[in-house]
Amino acid sequence: MKPINCLKHFGVVLLFATGPVHAANCNGSQTSDVTQCASEDFHKIDTQLNKAYNRYRARLSESQKKQLKEAQLAWIRFRDLSCDFESSGVEGGSAYPMIRDHCLVTKTGIRLREIQALEKCEEGDLSCPALKTK
């Protein structure tokens, strides 16, 4: 797997079990280029998460769908607040958006892997809610 290109300019390498996440034109080293790249990386991984979430959600009962939605909304709030905190050291600076988006990419990648693991649950696995089979 390859690292997310725009972040390697700052000595940061991210690898995702889901495959590489790349934005266009991520080889520039100017702050605005890297910031745009980090934003595009976040948009891509967030799109992947939403698709996996919706695929998995389709397998659940109505009460499980409600629970998953509540959990996901709480996770989004946690992710956003955590990234606000983790990037607060550079708040107000030109690197802030890039650092915050980097955090969002990292946390969203972790959540994507969690949802993908839930998607792979098989009937009979009592530790994983996946009641409906196709």
Side-chain angles (χ1 to χ4, degrees), residues 8 13 15 29 36 38 67 74-75 78 95 105 121-123 126:
K8 70 182 178 183
V13 176
L15 299 175
S29 61
Q36 180 181 354
Q67 289 177 315
W75 174 82
F78 163 78
V105 166
C121 292
E122 295 184 18
E123 189 172 354
L126 300 178

Side-chain angles (χ1 to χ4, degrees), residues 9-82:
H9 296 289
F10 290 93
V12 178
V13 176
L14 294 178
L15 299 175
F16 293 100
T18 59
V21 178
H22 299 286
N25 267 336
C26 293
N27 293 324
S29 61
Q30 293 185 359
T31 302
S32 62
D33 294 340
V34 177
T35 298
Q36 180 181 354
C37 178
S39 177
E40 291 172 11
D41 286 343
F42 171 61
H43 176 74
K44 286 181 180 182
I45 194 104
D46 191 52
T47 298
Q48 291 175 20
L49 174 60
N50 287 323
K51 287 178 181 177
Y53 170 88
N54 287 322
R55 282 191 312 265
Y56 176 62
R57 189 176 180 277
R59 297 176 56 190
L60 303 175
S61 70
E62 289 305 313
S63 64
Q64 289 172 323
K65 287 178 183 180
K66 182 180 178 190
Q67 289 177 315
L68 179 63
K69 180 179 178 181
E70 290 172 3
Q72 190 69 4
L73 290 173
W75 174 82
I76 290 168
R77 180 159 166 72
F78 163 78
R79 176 199 64 191
D80 292 350
L81 289 171
S82 184

Side-chain angles (χ1 to χ4, degrees), residues 59 120-133:
R59 297 176 56 190
K120 293 178 183 174
C121 292
E122 295 184 18
E123 189 172 354
D125 182 350
L126 300 178
S127 68
C128 190
L131 296 179
K132 294 184 179 181
T133 58

